């Protein structure tokens, strides 16, 4: 025992490989780091009070400075002074992607451009991109959110972080970079691609944390295995994922093959970038929302009316201290549910279930609703297939046809046609039992589905 009464032997050094997860699994959450304990563990009353104060100021800021919102609010007959409770947020107009697109590039900016210190954009598949700007204050808030979620995964200032996200206009690269630097980590800005070099860098620089999309992390894992790199003894111990949803099966596979702990975070360019919410080690299916910076609502995607707490719906976000581009009630189209009970990790900020589907990525196959995440869940539950897959939807003789291409593991591959056909039928049957619609299955040989260094594109809808 030391003079302070703390038994030093019981203190856990979370920078040791596997220690953070082992501590979490043993329920020793008080021994895990929390970046901003005063805020992240404050009472629900205090969180709501902070939110209300910021909401009132944010609506005033927005109304006074952005003509687009002033016009919308005037049309609806709502003034900033009408916002007196958190529930009053419902009086405000929704914002969707088109608002940002229609005002391209600077129409929604609330500060003069000489106050803007950074610009990002998300590439639109159609039309103009979505452009967002940040002033110094916005950059601070962003870094703060990233520092918090990094500590949730057990990242500490002594970590060496290899960034395998692309930099550029995409918010993921720089967003994570600044936040991890704020935490005190050493950044290794590798950028995406050149996979063998990524592994060489992990080895040369003693990288402890990898930032990547989950599909790219798996690719790095596979290439490393082929090169004979031993992930079990590697210095790498944490994966910070983002850029695309990470199904639980994929995460488990990466964790066991790379011997690392992986968490992922949620965010979107329109409201900030990555860092809106992050996964703690106490409940791997949920993510804590940075509630002092974001007011959340969950609404019925059809009607826009809030659903009861804890029920599934579309996430709507109002950033509470976003100065350069304020956004009110942004419709994310992401489906989730949010709970507010205290988490075992000690944090009190509300938790959202990880987003697996968007209201607009639902496929309608012969009248049945199918989400790509359902296909993903079935495939990751089958021994013998890899997490690499593709869904192709086409119209054949006036009928929808859905084909799932799934890549099999080398040990599943066989020269026997009968054996392969039996396996194919098994996959098709499992898919049908969950999707309730018949699916064509094609087995693809190991390595046959193209790997990507960024977001994987799983769905190809060829229908008109
Ligand atoms: Zn937690």
């Amino acid at each position: 025992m030391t003079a302070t009464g703390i038994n030093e032997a019981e203190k856990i050094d979370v920078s040791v490989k596997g220690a953070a997860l082992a501590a979490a699994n043993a329920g020793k959450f008080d021994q895990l780091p929390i970046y901003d304990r005063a805020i992240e563990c404050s009472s629900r009353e205090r969180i709501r009070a902070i939110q209300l104060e910021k909401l009132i100021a944010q609506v005033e800021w927005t109304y006074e400075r952005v003509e687009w919102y002033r016009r919308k609010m005037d049309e609806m007959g709502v003034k900033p002074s009408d916002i007196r409770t958190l529930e009053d947020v419902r009086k405000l107009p929704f914002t969707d992607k088109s608002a940002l697109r229609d005002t391209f590039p600077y129409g929604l900016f609330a500060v003069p451009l000489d106050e803007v210190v950074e610009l990002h954009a998300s590439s639109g598949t159609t039309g103009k991109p979505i452009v967002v700007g940040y002033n110094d204050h916005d950059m601070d808030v962003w870094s703060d959110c990233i520092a918090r979620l990094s500590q949730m995964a057990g990242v500490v200032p002594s970590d060496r972080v290899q960034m395998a996200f692309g930099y550029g206009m995409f918010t993921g690269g720089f967003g994570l970079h600044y936040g991890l630097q704020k935490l005190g980590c050493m950044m290794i800005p590798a950028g995406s691609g050149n996979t063998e070099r990524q592994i060489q860098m992990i080895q040369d620089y003693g990288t402890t944390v990898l930032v990547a999309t989950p599909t790219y992390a798996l690719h790095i894992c596979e290439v490393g295995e082929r090169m004979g790199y031993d992930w079990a003894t590697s210095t790498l111990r944490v994966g910070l994922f983002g850029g695309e949803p990470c199904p639980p099966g994929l995460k488990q596979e990466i964790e066991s093959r790379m011997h690392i702990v992986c968490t992922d975070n949620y965010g979107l360019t329109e409201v900030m970038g990555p860092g809106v919410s992050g996964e703690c080690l106490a409940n791997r299916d949920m993510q804590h929302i940075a509630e002092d910076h974001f007011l959340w609502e969950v609404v019925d995607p059809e009607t826009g009316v809030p659903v009861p707490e804890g029920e599934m719906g579309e996430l709507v976000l109002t950033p509470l201290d976003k100065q350069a581009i304020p956004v009110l009630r942004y419709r994310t189209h992401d489906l989730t549910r949010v709970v507010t009970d205290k988490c075992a990790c000690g944090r009190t900020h509300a938790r959202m279930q990880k987003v697996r589907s968007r209201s607009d990525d639902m496929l309608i196959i012969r009248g049945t609703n199918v989400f790509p995440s359902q296909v993903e869940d079935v495939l990751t539950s089958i021994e013998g297939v890899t997490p690499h897959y593709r869904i192709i939807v086409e119209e054949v003789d006036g009928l929808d046809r859905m084909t799932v291409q799934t890549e099999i593991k080398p040990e599943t591959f066989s020269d026997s046609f009968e054996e392969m056909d039996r396996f194919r039928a098994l996959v098709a049957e499992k898919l049908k039992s969950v999707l309730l619609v018949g699916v064509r299955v094609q087995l693809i040989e190991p390595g046959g589905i193209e790997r990507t260094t960024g977001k994987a594109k799983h769905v190809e809808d060829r229908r008109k």
Side-chain angles (χ1 to χ4, degrees), residues 24 27-30 32 34 37 40-44 47 152 278-289 291 309 338-352:
K28 298 176 179 173
F29 293 107
D30 53 342
L32 293 175
I34 295 182
R37 193 173 287 271
E40 292 175 82
C41 304
S42 65
S43 71
R44 294 296 306 163
I47 293 167
M152 287 182 205
E279 169 189 342
C280 73
L281 296 177
N283 188 334
R284 312 293 304 278
D285 192 35
M286 307 292 277
Q287 292 163 325
H288 287 284
I289 301 172
E291 278 191 292
E309 185 177 316
V338 178
V339 296
T340 57
D341 57 325
K342 189 177 171 181
C343 180
C345 75
R347 292 177 182 85
T348 49
H349 286 203
R351 290 171 293 157
M352 57 184 269

Side-chain angles (χ1 to χ4, degrees), residues 216-392:
Y216 189 46
L218 179 64
H219 184 49
I220 292 177
C221 171
E222 290 169 339
V223 172
E225 285 167 353
R226 277 206 298 276
M227 288 164 65
Y229 184 67
D230 182 9
W231 291 111
T233 57
S234 165
T235 49
L236 197 69
R237 59 180 193 84
V238 176
L240 292 179
F241 294 161
E244 64 184 10
C246 183
L250 175 58
K251 190 161 73 180
Q252 277 161 19
E253 170 140 6
I254 296 172
E255 289 194 330
S256 67
R257 279 166 74 177
M258 288 182 103
H259 299 269
I260 59 177
V261 180
C262 308
T263 65
D264 59 345
N265 82 85
Y266 169 84
L268 58 171
T269 302
E270 294 84 348
V271 299
M272 181 175 76
V276 172
S277 68
E279 169 189 342
C280 73
L281 296 177
N283 188 334
R284 312 293 304 278
D285 192 35
M286 307 292 277
Q287 292 163 325
H288 287 284
I289 301 172
E291 278 191 292
D292 51 325
H293 299 309
F294 295 93
L295 184 64
W296 55 269
E297 296 169 83
V298 180
V299 306
D300 181 321
E302 300 283 320
T303 63
V305 173
V307 300
E309 185 177 316
E311 287 189 13
M312 286 296 284
E314 178 186 339
L315 184 68
V316 174
L317 290 168
T318 301
L320 292 171
D321 35 21
K322 198 167 183 297
Q323 294 186 348
I325 299 196
V327 179
L328 303 177
R329 303 190 82 200
Y330 188 75
R331 300 279 305 244
T332 66
H333 294 291
D334 289 325
L335 301 177
T336 185
R337 62 188 190 94
V338 178
V339 296
T340 57
D341 57 325
K342 189 177 171 181
C343 180
C345 75
R347 292 177 182 85
T348 49
H349 286 203
R351 290 171 293 157
M352 57 184 269
Q353 188 158 26
K354 287 195 182 166
V355 172
R356 298 292 312 285
S357 5
R358 291 172 52 77
S359 58
D360 53 4
D361 70 5
M362 186 178 76
L363 297 163
I364 302 176
I365 311 292
R366 275 169 265 143
T368 304
N369 300 344
V370 172
F371 284 102
S373 58
Q374 294 175 295
V375 174
E376 211 161 64
D377 285 340
V378 172
L379 293 179
T380 52
S381 75
I382 301 173
E383 231 0 87
V385 304
T386 72
H388 302 289
Y389 73 97
R390 214 161 31 205
I391 298 171
I392 296 160

